[in-house]
Amino acid sequence: MGLVFRAVEEEEPGPKWAGLFAEYRASYLGWWAREGVAVRPTYLECLRALRTHMPEILPLWEELVELAGGGDREARFLSFYCPPRYLSGCSQAIWPGDAPLMVRNYDYNPRAFDAVLLKTGWQGRQVIGMSDGLFGLVDGMNEDGLAVSLTFGGRREVGTGFGVPLILRYILQTCQTAEEAAAVMTRVPCHMSYNVTVLDAQRNFVTAYLAPDRPTQITHVPVATNHQERVEWTSHARLTATVERERYLLQRLTLHAEPEDKFIRTFLRPPLYSLAFDRGFGTLYTASYRPRAGRVEIYWPGYHWAKSFSAFGEDRLPIVYPEASPSAV
């Protein structure tokens, strides 16, 4: 099982983005309409939601819709408003050293993943992040030194709100600090439960527990796996070992004074590194974000991909996922 990761740079929305969307279009819209087109919000409902909650990026959405073909379904899909359910695994933590550093594993189904690291200058702000639906992000960082990453929150509830990848994009397009990001997450509705960790260049950080049926809770917890304050979906917790991963990370943060390279390598080994691809939660990559340096590094056992705002470089990297636990790297 493998993926080809691509690094794509395009300052303004244009032919590269349009080409990627055309490549993925059938998969995107097939997933979006899998429960029936009528189940999803109408174009006007999507427009009103964006205008109400994310007005700053409304012109960007309209520009991307045109590049995607200008159709009704494309517009509704790219709004990320009340999308179908989706679950992921994931672990993320803030390194306890002096320099701001966020490390995360993204655990998901490789057949439902863009595998595109996208560098953009949309609306005058530089952003690097791992794409979801080519508008949303599952993790990323902006030129102001704000980094953000998500994990699934481990709850079944679905409500009225946005898919969390667009909330991450919105944060990076409009915020400079963790405090500003916390304010966004408090007011913008999310359609499912997610944990979003934000770290800024001054090493201020928050982890927000987003939910569709209760107010967002802002915490200063430096670790997030796949539950919130307590386990509420027992079978999912057992499947993803969320409690075990959280305990492991908290122990490393409190009991071990270790250099950042060693801390990063722990994410490439069990219990954080997962090979549960048959259950849809295998580790697709490990990422480290260094906000002050404007640098992101993507890791796999035996591979390393380094990108920054000053030296990005478009390329491709094929990754074949192991069938057994990786050796130490």
Side-chain angles (χ1 to χ4, degrees):
M1 182 182 298
L3 286 170
V4 177
F5 281 76
R6 289 182 278 184
V8 178
E9 179 176 5
E10 191 171 48
E11 189 74 6
E12 299 294 337
K16 291 181 182 178
W17 189 93
L20 287 168
F21 191 89
E23 180 181 339
Y24 289 119
R25 180 184 182 280
S27 296
Y28 287 156
L29 298 187
W31 169 80
W32 176 83
R34 67 185 184 182
E35 297 164 337
V37 174
V39 174
R40 307 271 70 86
T42 66
Y43 171 82
L44 285 178
E45 289 171 331
C46 295
L47 174 63
R48 288 172 186 145
L50 284 167
R51 185 176 288 154
T52 298
H53 299 289
M54 305 185 194
E56 299 93 334
I57 64 169
L58 184 60
L60 178 57
W61 171 70
E62 292 171 337
E63 190 173 1
L64 294 176
V65 169
E66 287 302 309
L67 284 171
D72 174 78
R73 294 190 186 190
E74 289 85 351
R76 293 156 71 188
F77 166 79
L78 285 167
S79 77
F80 280 74
Y81 187 56
C82 299
R85 287 165 49 101
Y86 45 87
L87 312 180
S88 61
C90 310
S91 308
Q92 58 202 28
I94 305 297
W95 183 58
D98 293 333
L101 171 66
M102 178 190 293
V103 186
R104 68 97 98 257
N105 276 3
Y106 185 64
D107 300 353
Y108 199 53
N109 185 342
R111 296 179 180 86
F113 176 56
D114 289 0
V116 174
L117 185 68
L118 195 59
K119 179 177 181 287
T120 58
W122 296 345
Q123 298 186 307
R125 176 162 284 170
Q126 298 287 316
V127 172
I128 296 174
M130 199 64 77
S131 164
D132 184 84
L134 292 177
F135 193 10
L137 299 167
V138 295
D139 50 67
M141 174 176 59
N142 67 21
E143 63 182 79
D144 300 298
L146 186 66
V148 61
S149 179
L150 66 85
T151 74
F152 176 58
R155 302 178 70 240
R156 294 185 180 90
E157 287 76 9
V158 180
T160 300
F162 293 93
V164 71
L166 188 63
I167 298 176
L168 267 61
R169 165 64 73 178
Y170 180 62
I171 287 170
L172 295 182
Q173 292 295 142
T174 62
C175 298
Q176 296 180 323
T177 67
E179 183 180 6
E180 292 174 353
V184 165
M185 292 185 287
T186 299
R187 67 172 179 81
V188 175
C190 187
H191 91 302
M192 291 185 67
S193 295
Y194 287 92
N195 309 322
V196 177
T197 300
V198 180
L199 171 69
D200 66 27
Q202 303 308 311
R203 209 184 171 280
N204 301 308
F205 66 87
V206 298
T207 293
Y209 298 147
L210 279 62
D213 58 337
R214 61 194 186 197
T216 294
Q217 182 177 355
I218 304 297
T219 79
H220 293 280
V221 178
V223 167
T225 53
N226 301 125
H227 60 283
Q228 297 187 336
E229 286 192 299
R230 59 184 176 84
V231 170
E232 298 180 58
W233 187 355
T234 304
S235 60
H236 184 272
R238 290 173 180 163
L239 179 68
T240 62
T242 178
V243 173
E244 293 80 359
R245 287 183 286 117
E246 180 189 52
R247 287 174 179 168
Y248 178 79
L249 280 170
L250 288 171
Q251 286 174 350
R252 297 203 74 89
L253 293 181
T254 58
L255 301 179
H256 300 273
E258 56 189 9
E260 60 182 57
D261 60 335
K262 185 175 181 181
F263 182 66
I264 293 168
R265 288 199 299 269
T266 64
F267 283 77
L268 292 161
R269 304 187 185 99
L272 303 182
Y273 188 94
S274 170
L275 293 171
F277 293 108
D278 59 330
R279 300 193 296 273
F281 299 110
T283 299
L284 299 184
Y285 64 89
T286 298
S288 69
Y289 283 93
R290 292 178 168 85
R292 285 182 193 162
R295 182 179 176 88
V296 56
E297 295 175 84
I298 312 295
Y299 300 87
W300 302 266
Y303 296 92
H304 176 217
W305 216 24
K307 303 291 180 182
S308 68
F309 289 109
S310 60
F312 188 75
E314 294 186 312
D315 58 355
R316 296 178 176 229
L317 183 62
I319 297 295
V320 176
Y321 294 100
E323 297 180 0
S325 296
S327 60
V329 295

